[in-house]
Amino acid sequence: MDTTGKVLDVLFRQIAPERILHSLIQCVSGERALLREINEEREKLFIDFAESTLHGYSENEQRMLYGQLEQERQGWEKQPVVSEGFLSALIRYGQETLVTIQGIPYCRNERVLSWRDVYLRMGQDAVVCPYLACQDFCNNISRVDFTWPAILKVHDNELSHMLERGMAENHNHICGGTQSFQITWCRLMNYPEKIRSELKNFKGNNLRYRMSRGEEDNSLDRYEQLELAALFRTILFRAIHRKEFRNASDLANAGTFSSELAFKEEYMDVFSLRKELCDLVDCLRTGKGSHLDYPDETAFCLDYVLGSRLLQYCADSHERVLVGERCFLYQCALQCIRADGFTPFEQELFYLYLLLKSNFRSEMIQANGQTGFQNFLYYQNRKDDAWDENPYFWEAARMAINYRLSAESVTSLEGRLVPKPMPSKNIEKVYRFDLGKRFADCTSAESLDPSAYNFDMELDVDEFTGLPYFFVYHFIKTEDDRKLEKDMFWEVPCRHKKHRENLRAVAIGLAKALRKSTYLRNRMRGIDASASEIGCRPEVFAAEYRYLDAVQHQWNTKRDALLPSSPMRISKTYHAGEDFLDIADGLRAIDEAVTFLDLGVGSRIGHALAMGVPPEEHYRLKNYEIVTTKQDRLDDLVWLLYRTKELGVRMEGVLESRLRNEAYQLFREIYGEIVDWNGWNCELLDYYHSMQLRCDEPSAYYPDKKAREIWETMEEFDQYLLDRKNLRLREYRKSTCVSGLYYYYHYGTAEGICGRRKVRCKADGAYIRLMRQVQDAMQRYIDQKRIVIECNPSSNVLIGTFQRYEHHPIFRFNNRKLQRGERNDRAQLQVCVNTDDLGIFDTSLDFEYALLEQTLRTQEDEQTGLKYGGRDIMEYLDDLRRMGLMAVFPENSERGRHS
């Protein structure tokens, strides 16, 4: 982030709202003169909170940065058409970064990377609305249309024309594929009584950190901050329309609304009674807001700012849930600019509102600079807390499906959902989104008639064939939670026993739903497994993937051709190599996913960062250390020692000897006692073979069932507990030593306790060179398998360890169009660009392409200047776009019956 962005971040995100609130309280209580002291206070606040973002700058330099900002603000005041305002820094940045074409704001193409850094932390509307307000004021324009794109498009005609040919979104978790924060904010500002009841995943967990100098703040909790924001929004809204309102204590007298008096009455006197706030907002919804009809509720007020005049311009817009807040911010900014607008107190109240909003936004949009999937998971768990079971769901579905298909040139949209054990639930989840899509397709007049969007799933199934969007069900990964204690007297469960039982039930429920419902067979095209990889390997899902593969094959080959029935198509993808304790750990996860889940042509792997992250950058960030468990370290080392030879990698002799010695020592520490007790003559190669048995269900190796070649059972699912396609595994199962090691990997108490102990290892130059070699070999292996890699640039930058777009693995996975005819012996993988959870990462698919474009355009060659030519870059991006379209999972049609 450049210096300008860092200064804006301090001003509009880092400063504690409590400090501004305290100054407002002093103002209305007569303890200070707000106007006289405001600038002195602002400088102190800036310096107190600058260190969070401006670390590396001395305090004197930070003061100079603020002084430069103040100089520009004072120059701003001298403009004859614009009044004083704290928004001058935002407006100036907007003028440098944005351009308006036919009333619609765009990002300048050369400012894409800077814009991304700034808006990720503050939100786009925090800049766009003041920028447009100033521009419209200077041009004497009265704006009524606030339906610009949720994520601004880039002013780049060549890129736009190329993307308009069609894009595929192949990695999109649909509940995160909407504007989660904006919808949540709209819900809570208009229904503050839901703040404490609906935000289940927010309490007691701040995802961002704040550093400050000076006095300590009496911090408000998350709920109090949101309730304050809801109250201050009503005060500012009434101040904008002050002639239409009176203060509660002045109802009998003439005069306009006073924000200071409202603040004193409604916050200082009665705010502790939250019912007063709810009643106040309810009055505004009833008296000012227009009402809409939804499938589950009629005459519902989406936002009290959306009056009848404003609603007529956006009633049928897919962005309508964003319009009320945008209009509110725009009008507040306009009031700050106009000489006869907001009072200094109201300007400061608006500033406080922006800080409260940005604080809460930082708890929903991932911008805290922390790496790893667990950090993302906190955000992921919050994304639909406030809108999953109320009318705002329909707006979320509208933004997740209708908006994306119409505004982003997306011609194929894959939405991922979590399956449930109950078959009917799996059908209902898809039905609800399809209903939301059809409802959003209706005009506001048509939506009054439920027959316009309701449908019968089985009778109207033909209407859902060939649609540009479909669904993939993804299983959830969960870390092994067994409680292991020394000298246990009860039977030890296998790894992930509870989770395996749940996955089994889910897979059976999904299979029943597919067999039962023609509608679901038309809407679902694949399966996936996602969530944290640490402590949950691909082996956990092997039986479920085999089972659903078999269900698909049996259905498509045994159907009665005389009876009408649609085929079943279950393509496969899997999140692998996104989060890992070591690069070798992530590479092993990718390899195990391919082998254990039988991924091949037409399959995909999500992220696969371990296969392309620069090893030097990764280990530098980790201080050249690997922190892991003994079990994982043993597995990684054994995999490296034997799998690298199969992949054609030559390991340096000294390094191989060192890794082998380390592996053998770990093997003896974990399994030595049980090996000696059983009298096995085991080598590391035997352990490697036992690792390959992990695609089998552990219970098949329990003493009275161990190593059976024919698995007889009454349950259909249990026929797929063993992998019978891999003939090598038959010999491994017959080996007492190999199958025994696999058994104790799952059921051994002492082995489990020892394996969980932590170790720290050094990653020296030889090891780092080996990682790059193995990455290249794995890329060749995946290329031969013709497996597609789902790349998610912003998601990967924010979760991964490389932190910069220029280091994104996509440029290692495929750079064929960037070579200018040079010889290139590297594998060229099939890749596709996606957004992942766009609501959490605050992005869009076309903006992801724009980020890649600008990243390539800014690359420099030490000898020739710019590294890539403009035509090479556009051809490369177009190649990515076309690969994305080719990677779309095929629909369930007759032509796919025997595939």
Side-chain angles (χ1 to χ4, degrees), residues 586-596 639 643 646-647 688 778 781:
L587 291 170
R588 180 166 64 91
I590 295 169
D591 189 39
E592 289 174 348
V594 173
T595 304
F596 294 169
W639 182 84
R643 184 62 173 137
E646 297 171 355
L647 293 171
Y688 178 61
M778 280 294 296
Y781 173 65

Side-chain angles (χ1 to χ4, degrees), residues 631-644:
Q631 180 67 66
D632 283 318
R633 181 63 173 169
L634 170 62
D635 292 348
D636 293 343
L637 290 174
V638 171
W639 182 84
L640 283 172
L641 289 167
Y642 294 99
R643 184 62 173 137
T644 52

Side-chain angles (χ1 to χ4, degrees), residues 8 113 207 276 293 329 334 440 465 467 503 547 554 650 839 890:
L8 291 174
L113 294 175
L207 299 183
E276 301 287 341
D293 288 332
L329 295 177
L334 200 59
T465 300
L467 292 180
L503 289 172
Y547 169 65
Q554 292 168 2
R650 281 192 170 187

Side-chain angles (χ1 to χ4, degrees), residues 15-40:
I15 290 175
E18 292 86 353
R19 298 277 287 273
I20 306 299
L21 177 62
H22 182 63
S23 69
L24 291 175
I25 292 172
Q26 289 181 320
C27 177
V28 297
S29 62
E31 297 179 32
R32 65 184 297 179
L34 181 68
L35 183 60
R36 186 174 66 247
E37 299 179 10
I38 186 172
N39 290 332
E40 296 178 9

Side-chain angles (χ1 to χ4, degrees), residues 363-409:
E363 299 298 320
M364 292 195 69
I365 303 296
Q366 185 171 334
N368 64 354
Q370 302 299 304
T371 62
F373 191 88
Q374 185 59 52
N375 179 60
F376 161 76
L377 193 60
Y378 294 129
Y379 292 96
Q380 193 271 150
N381 289 340
R382 295 175 168 185
K383 61 190 177 185
D384 58 354
D385 268 7
W387 50 259
D388 189 39
E389 298 291 343
N390 55 62
Y392 286 92
F393 167 81
W394 305 111
E395 296 300 325
R398 178 188 292 264
M399 292 295 297
I401 302 175
N402 301 67
Y403 171 80
R404 301 207 63 197
L405 292 173
S406 62
E408 294 187 53
S409 300

